[in-house]
Amino acid sequence: MKLGFLVDLDLCMGCKGCEIACKSENNVPPSIWRLRVKYVDSGIFPDTKRAFTPMRCNHCDNAPCERICPVSALHYLDNGIVNIDKERCIGCAGCMMACPYGAIYMDPETNTADKCTYCAHRIEGGLEPACVVACPVGANLFGDISDNRSKISRYIMAHRDTRVRKPEKGTLPKHFYVGGGDIHLNPLATTRNSGHGLFNNISHLKHVGGH
Amino acid sequence: MNFESLVLDLPIFKSAIVSLDVAFTGVIWGWFVTMNLWGKSIGTGVFFAGLYMMKKYPKNASFYKAVIPIVGITFIGITLLFTALDLHQMFRAWHMFIYPHFTSIINLGSWVINIYAGLLAILLFLLFKQKDEAYDKLLWPTAIAAFFTTIYTAGLLAQCNAREIWQGPTEVVQMLMAAGMAGSAVLLLIGNFSLNKDEKTSLSYVLGFATLMSFTIYMSELYLAPFKSEEAEWVIHYVLHGDLSTMFWAAMVIGYILPMLLVVICHKSSAQKGLTLAALLSLIGLWMAKHVWLVAPQMIPLS
């Protein structure tokens, strides 16, 4: 079994229900997100467009975070999930330097690395990840990508515009996007103004975790 | 009109603006890690330079035999101290040894550097016990440990998939050259009053060569054969023209160009007072250059 994720960006409407469900399910501390939806505005009035991109850990098949972790705190589960053992983590931040997707953060409460685990605890109990359940339009698909008959596999096969983030990094991500363009998936294709956001004015997070 | 394809094809494309996102995490590996890189360069460089001088000038071997373990263990100690301080859970550092993950260069490096520190401690013990024969026998195993201690960081940086400019194959050479610079500079400073003219000249050649090589590699990586990916281009832009450019060029002038000039001038004029200044400047410039190289790739958004 190889669990994977897919987001249909043509369906996502940026409601952030998945973000909140994830935060609530996993007790993610304030100012930190395991999963977040990025808004990107493009164009010139009146031809403007807003793109929504949910972003989480890619649970790579060839995960650089797992390889660099000096104490195996980051490890593969049999179902393909890249899990983290917070009791073992020493907080060296090597994984944060290795992950090309910026998916790992330092938890300010435990001073250890943390990230999306595809809700491994829920999956163990036969449930779907919290973000999948919360999505009102079914934009999030989750399932076994090694099984050709699974819904996610059939969705990938049916959509020729299925993409992953930064394939050139050779990480073999198991998180797919349908309908995305460069402004959705390439962080360098957009301008990131500091000083303001749509709903808040936090543009730079003071380094958390003790120093 | 398909507006998205229009904005993708035209320069206007960059006008796509992130209007809502989480805060940018910023620099995670900061000056504590720079201290690690700098301290390690001195801690291993003093061994290499000292060993070379010991073999070339056996009459003054006692000086180098004393300096190698004392300076080496001090700066490897500084390296280990800042490494531990940089851990968010420093009291779990022992997990490195009870839960070792041998694909991780961080883990392998922690073994290597501790072995090197242990060997330096034994050398120090043998020095005080005046057991010269045993000291000499231990020099070559220590040299091997010093070599791997010097280069493991290049392997560690190469595992950082998100930071492309750290992953260049020249990083290993840069680490060795940094050790050459730092080791010869420290010996020039410590031996200012006790080394003879020939010894200082030999050390200045090591300093000049290592500085020239390192400077050439930096310029090659940034100008002659720069990295080609979009991500690396952004980082190089930060280094050459962005927020870090002042510090980078100051590092190049202070730590590389001026020491090289001073070495040449001192060699031409046979006056050696400038070598002390060259040594001091190269140590300062090395710290600054390492810091820029460490911080720059952490300044671009990853997602």
Side-chain angles (χ1 to χ4, degrees):
Chain A
M1 177 182 273
K2 203 176 275 188
L3 293 174
F5 222 107
L6 182 144
V7 178
D8 190 333
L9 295 170
D10 291 332
L11 293 177
C12 178
M13 56 184 187
C15 73
K16 291 179 169 278
C18 52
E19 268 188 15
I20 304 305
C22 168
K23 226 168 158 57
S24 168
E25 174 70 29
N26 296 293
N27 286 325
V28 182
S31 83
I32 301 289
W33 305 85
R34 285 188 179 193
L35 156 67
R36 99 275 186 164
V37 182
K38 184 167 84 166
Y39 287 17
V40 175
D41 295 353
S42 59
I44 296 171
F45 183 80
D47 288 321
T48 56
K49 187 169 182 175
R50 173 163 294 161
F52 309 110
T53 318
M55 292 185 167
R56 54 173 78 75
C57 171
N58 286 233
H59 294 269
C60 308
D61 241 5
N62 182 25
C65 60
E66 188 274 343
R67 192 161 54 252
I68 203 172
C69 180
V71 295
S72 294
L74 284 148
H75 56 277
Y76 295 110
L77 298 182
D78 289 340
N79 56 16
I81 288 175
V82 179
N83 203 14
I84 184 160
D85 180 349
K86 294 174 80 167
E87 295 302 313
R88 190 179 280 198
C89 175
I90 61 173
C92 68
C95 50
M96 295 175 75
M97 295 297 122
C99 174
Y101 309 106
I104 305 175
Y105 59 86
M106 198 57 68
D107 186 323
E109 291 177 355
T110 61
N111 270 335
T112 56
D114 207 353
K115 67 174 196 69
C116 159
T117 60
Y118 278 171
C119 283
H121 58 288
R122 288 175 60 92
I123 290 161
E124 206 175 346
L127 301 171
E128 288 196 301
C131 55
V132 176
V133 176
C135 183
V137 292
N140 287 312
L141 288 181
F142 179 75
D144 183 4
I145 55 171
S146 64
D147 176 5
N148 287 342
R149 293 161 304 170
S150 67
K151 189 176 176 187
I152 185 170
S153 293
R154 282 187 278 120
Y155 210 89
I156 290 169
M157 287 186 277
H159 291 81
R160 297 187 67 183
D161 58 344
T162 303
R163 297 172 63 174
V164 294
R165 287 159 69 195
K166 301 185 184 177
E168 72 280 4
K169 293 287 183 185
T171 55
L172 308 176
K174 295 199 294 285
H175 190 295
F176 302 89
Y177 291 92
V178 165
D182 223 27
I183 59 170
H184 290 89
L185 304 181
N186 177 6
L188 300 179
T190 52
T191 302
R192 198 183 169 102
N193 290 333
S194 58
H196 68 276
L198 192 61
F199 302 137
N200 61 48
N201 60 1
I202 302 168
S203 60
H204 191 281
L205 188 65
K206 194 167 181 278
H207 182 43
V208 290
H211 58 267
Chain B
M1 179 172 59
N2 182 342
F3 191 76
E4 194 162 73
S5 68
L6 175 69
V7 294
L8 286 172
D9 290 335
L10 295 174
I12 204 173
F13 156 64
K14 284 280 181 185
S15 71
I17 294 170
V18 176
S19 54
L20 181 64
D21 197 7
V22 296
F24 183 46
T25 46
V27 174
I28 305 297
W29 279 359
W31 70 272
F32 279 19
V33 179
T34 309
M35 285 300 294
N36 167 310
L37 297 168
W38 183 77
K40 189 168 64 72
S41 297
I42 298 174
T44 59
V46 77
F47 183 89
F48 293 131
L51 185 62
Y52 166 69
M53 294 300 285
M54 202 188 298
K55 298 298 169 192
K56 192 167 183 186
Y57 300 97
K59 282 185 182 171
N60 199 13
S62 57
F63 170 77
Y64 299 108
K65 281 188 175 179
V67 168
I68 284 175
I70 294 170
V71 176
I73 213 159
T74 303
F75 280 90
I76 289 298
I78 288 172
T79 302
L80 289 171
L81 173 70
F82 278 94
T83 306
L85 288 175
D86 195 56
L87 297 179
H88 290 76
Q89 283 284 358
M90 73 167 89
F91 297 112
R92 291 185 189 171
W94 54 281
H95 284 193
M96 289 270 200
F97 306 109
I98 61 163
Y99 304 118
H101 187 216
F102 291 122
T103 65
S104 165
I105 308 289
I106 296 177
N107 189 278
L108 292 176
S110 70
W111 288 93
V112 166
I113 198 169
N114 279 289
I115 289 170
Y116 178 57
L119 289 169
L120 286 175
I122 296 170
L123 284 180
L124 194 61
F125 174 76
L126 295 173
L127 177 76
F128 283 117
K129 288 285 177 187
Q130 295 181 325
K131 299 205 181 279
D132 259 17
E133 202 178 326
Y135 187 106
D136 290 344
K137 279 184 183 168
L138 201 60
L139 277 176
W140 293 109
T142 313
I144 294 168
F147 176 77
F148 285 108
T149 302
T150 306
I151 64 164
Y152 90 80
T153 318
L156 188 164
L157 295 178
Q159 285 195 329
C160 294
N161 232 23
R163 327 283 164 178
E164 193 172 323
I165 70 161
W166 293 350
Q167 297 185 297
T170 52
E171 203 63 43
V172 175
V173 185
Q174 281 288 32
M175 295 288 168
L176 290 168
M177 291 304 118
M181 276 173 72
S184 54
V186 164
L187 285 181
L188 276 169
L189 288 174
I190 293 173
N192 192 27
F193 300 111
S194 54
L195 298 180
N196 64 37
K197 199 173 173 183
D198 280 353
E199 288 173 280
K200 284 186 181 176
T201 303
S202 293
L203 282 171
S204 74
Y205 286 153
V206 175
L207 178 64
F209 173 76
T211 309
L212 177 64
M213 282 291 290
S214 185
F215 180 75
T216 307
I217 293 169
Y218 274 128
M219 292 303 112
S220 302
E221 286 179 328
L222 297 171
Y223 285 111
L224 297 176
F227 294 93
K228 295 294 189 295
S229 74
E230 188 182 10
E231 169 201 323
E233 276 188 11
W234 273 55
V235 174
I236 290 172
H237 179 80
Y238 271 122
V239 173
L240 295 179
H241 311 291
D243 294 348
L244 294 167
S245 64
T246 307
M247 192 174 190
F248 177 73
W249 287 114
M252 289 299 111
V253 172
I254 294 169
Y256 296 82
I257 295 171
L258 285 178
M260 278 190 283
L261 285 175
L262 284 167
V263 167
V264 172
I265 290 167
C266 290
H267 181 61
K268 291 277 184 196
S269 65
S270 300
Q272 296 192 312
K273 284 183 181 170
L275 292 180
T276 311
L277 180 62
L280 192 63
L281 290 177
S282 68
L283 288 176
I284 295 168
L286 180 66
W287 192 96
M288 292 164 72
K290 290 282 178 201
H291 189 66
V292 170
W293 208 249
L294 179 78
V295 167
Q298 298 179 60
M299 296 182 77
I300 59 163
L302 295 175
S303 60

